[in-house]
Amino acid sequence: MVMIAAPVLDALAAIVGSKHVIAGSDERSLSCGEDWRGLVRRRPALLLRPGSTAEVSAVMRVLHEARIAVVPQGGNTGLCGGAVPAEDDNEVVLSLSRMRGMQAVERSAGSILVEAGCVLATVQAAALAAGRLFPLSLAAEGSCQIGGNIATNAGGVAVLRYGTMRELVLGLEVVLADGTVLDFLKGLRKDNTGIDLKQLFIGSEGALGIITRARLRLHPLPVRSLTVLGAAPSAAAVVQAYAAFSSQLGSRLSAFELIDRACIEAVAAHIPGARDPFGAPHPFYFLLELDDTLAGADLETAAESTLAALMEDDAVSDAAVAQNETQAGAFWALRENVSEALRGAGRLLKYDISIPDIPAFLDAVTADILTAFPAVRPFVFGHIGDGNLHLNMSLAAPDAALEAALTERVYDLVDAHAGSFSAEHGVGQFKVAEMARYKPAAELALMRSLKTVFDPRGLLNPGKLLP
Ligand code: FAD
């Protein structure tokens, strides 16, 4: 337990204002100490809410001097416990939520400069108002923040066409553990002047520095979009459908999602207004989005001919092309509400994994894991176009020993299938053991060396990321 001395508290209050220095026992601090899924509840030593880069820098100088650990927190929607303390009363939570400034977008602009605390949906809306697209899109977009998106290198549903957050960041401003401000905000497309240091902060989960501002890449706004919901007899058939759409429609394919029957049933049962999309049940469903920036593009004809060929091959059993935005929204709601619907599915273990051959992996899950753990119920969905599966395993009640054995078996299988134990959610405090088990020792040693260079006192987000 860290005792924060009165002169330190006074110095912090002088920087951010006393109303933004909030005691750890205060309700606002306690809610910042709990992660989105309610799996971790920690009492922060303090909650700090700086309002500018200069304040973040001054606060970090004071905390560094006093050797007090800091947990950067964005929207706190992360799913690995990265944004909440690892221990009670020991870490200051530094919330970026007051830093919501945003530069107005010029219509012709290819970028937007935002503070790290801007909520993703607000940035999307600002881009849209200027006739541009900020394509990062995920179900938590109403509360996750740009700083958190960058710190986790967020993925989401449009990675197929636009890439992960890394590909959407042109420039960054970062405050180091000792308060040093690094300005990489120029946003030049070409700048081969040594090692591109800003890349190190993207996906570093608050362990190397605090992201305070970012220059983000904007894309042309599609003027035509088409959403298709399909049903398929197997995961292999969904992959076949993906391959067909990808080769027929190329970069117009911006999203391709897989949802299994169990997820559709959960959404239909728990989400008001949601319903089973087709007359008969099917083992797997896919949801795809086609976009074009040219008004004349006939996406519908292209989609229908691709679907017809797939139906001929028995790879697609049924399909519906959304006829208007309301219907497209209803299709997307089936996918976006899966996490919410599964909140009521008992004790849920979530595995966010990347796999090169998803059908082979799912066959192995059935043959190996479901045989070894017959009481477990799987729910599978994910961004199949980029190989990212969200494998959820539900148990009737918590069972620590069974959960540990199941998790090890799942990740061993992922490893055997040349996959990754964390595709887009990161490591946080939940997957530190997997870092030790599956990451090569040489990579871990290099990561530790980097951590020491940027944060020699180990004050940034302790207990996260590195074993
Ligand atoms: P937080 O949860 O606050 O923080 C996440 C990590 O980043 C922590 O380690 C924290 O310390 C660090 N951090 C936060 N802000 C900063 C900063 N300014 N500087 C340095 N470090 C910082 N993720 C995906 O990638 N794709 C999805 O499709 C997706 N879907 C989701 C759906 C739901 C319903 C939910 C709840 C979450 C989903 N997520 C998804 C996970 C989560 O939304 C993302 O990881 C998001 O990018 C986190 O942003 P945040 O602002 O909430 O970050």
Side-chain angles (χ1 to χ4, degrees):
M1 170 164 176
V2 66
M3 290 301 293
I4 304 184
V8 173
L9 288 173
D10 290 346
L12 295 171
I15 297 163
V16 297
S18 50
K19 70 174 178 186
H20 300 301
V21 180
I22 298 160
S25 54
D26 188 289
E27 202 41 56
R28 289 165 294 173
S29 292
L30 292 172
S31 84
C32 284
E34 179 171 351
D35 75 315
W36 189 81
R37 294 180 62 204
L39 298 177
V40 184
R41 285 190 187 88
R42 299 274 182 232
R43 193 169 48 240
L46 208 60
L47 168 63
L48 288 178
R49 298 190 305 199
S52 66
T53 302
E55 288 185 13
V56 173
S57 166
V59 156
M60 291 307 289
R61 260 197 311 275
V62 170
L63 296 173
H64 191 254
E65 191 63 27
R67 296 180 183 262
I68 295 171
V70 179
V71 183
Q73 187 173 92
N76 196 14
T77 67
L79 298 173
C80 295
V84 293
E87 292 176 9
D88 280 325
D89 301 317
N90 215 31
E91 294 145 57
V92 167
V93 171
L94 188 143
S95 163
L96 280 296
S97 57
R98 286 179 61 222
M99 294 181 54
R100 298 194 167 192
M102 200 186 294
Q103 183 193 54
V105 193
E106 297 287 325
R107 203 171 169 79
S108 60
S111 70
I112 181 171
L113 180 64
V114 303
E115 285 191 310
C118 284
V119 169
L120 171 56
T122 318
V123 176
Q124 295 167 339
L128 191 63
R132 310 287 292 182
L133 175 75
F134 183 63
L136 186 75
S137 174
L138 43 106
E141 63 200 21
S143 32
C144 63
Q145 298 176 5
I146 292 300
N149 299 147
I150 296 171
T152 57
N153 186 24
V157 294
V159 170
L160 261 190
R161 178 163 175 175
Y162 301 102
T164 62
M165 193 62 175
R166 186 180 299 282
E167 282 147 281
L168 301 172
V169 172
L170 290 174
L172 271 193
E173 179 187 73
V174 180
V175 176
L176 296 183
D178 66 359
T180 304
V181 180
L182 297 176
D183 179 347
F184 310 113
L185 281 172
K186 280 184 195 156
L188 302 172
R189 307 287 169 119
K190 291 188 169 181
D191 182 15
N192 286 347
T193 50
I195 295 168
D196 186 357
L197 291 172
K198 72 173 177 301
Q199 298 296 344
L200 295 176
F201 296 94
I202 304 172
S204 70
E205 299 186 46
L208 300 185
I210 303 202
I211 295 154
T212 44
R213 285 196 291 166
R215 187 176 295 286
L216 303 173
R217 187 193 296 271
L218 300 179
H219 282 266
L221 193 62
V223 292
R224 290 271 300 122
S225 289
L226 193 75
T227 306
V228 178
L229 184 68
S234 64
V238 174
V239 171
Q240 185 183 337
Y242 165 66
F245 274 95
S246 173
S247 65
Q248 297 296 315
L249 286 127
S251 64
R252 292 186 183 91
L253 184 61
S254 61
F256 198 101
E257 301 285 300
L258 168 141
I259 318 166
D260 78 353
R261 177 70 198 159
C263 290
I264 291 288
E265 281 174 8
V267 173
H270 298 292
I271 303 296
R275 57 183 190 86
D276 206 336
F278 299 110
H282 300 273
F284 286 93
Y285 299 79
F286 61 87
L287 177 66
L288 68 90
E289 177 99 8
L290 300 169
D291 293 318
D292 208 303
T293 51
L294 293 176
D298 191 354
L299 297 177
E300 197 149 352
T301 305
E304 280 169 357
S305 78
T306 309
L307 281 171
L310 286 162
M311 284 176 154
E312 190 100 325
D313 267 4
D314 293 328
V316 169
S317 328
D318 205 345
V321 175
Q323 296 304 311
N324 50 46
E325 277 185 25
T326 311
Q327 208 173 18
F331 289 175
W332 270 106
L334 288 171
R335 163 66 183 84
E336 283 168 350
N337 281 313
V338 171
S339 294
E340 193 59 40
L342 295 187
R343 276 182 178 226
R347 170 79 174 139
L348 203 66
L349 304 182
K350 286 170 155 319
Y351 303 104
D352 159 47
I353 52 185
S354 260
I355 298 285
D357 184 345
I358 286 177
F361 175 78
L362 288 177
D363 285 347
V365 167
T366 307
D368 176 339
I369 295 175
L370 299 183
T371 310
F373 300 90
V376 164
R377 195 168 164 226
F379 294 86
V380 181
F381 64 102
H383 318 295
I384 201 161
D386 46 73
N388 178 188
L389 212 58
H390 295 306
L391 175 66
N392 292 261
M393 297 290 204
S394 153
L395 308 173
D399 178 337
L402 188 144
E403 289 172 24
L406 175 64
T407 297
E408 195 170 306
R409 191 96 167 219
V410 169
Y411 288 142
D412 280 354
L413 199 62
V414 169
D415 198 45
H417 282 249
S420 165
F421 62 83
S422 184
E424 61 178 6
H425 293 163
V427 175
Q429 54 183 299
F430 297 162
K431 294 193 180 177
V432 175
E434 281 71 30
M435 285 292 272
R437 189 173 166 90
Y438 301 106
K439 272 278 171 193
E443 285 183 38
L444 281 178
L446 276 174
M447 287 189 202
R448 282 201 189 94
S449 305
L450 278 171
K451 170 77 175 163
T452 309
V453 168
F454 285 96
D455 178 20
R457 294 184 179 172
L459 297 176
L460 274 174
N461 229 356
K464 320 282 169 58
L465 198 60
L466 286 170

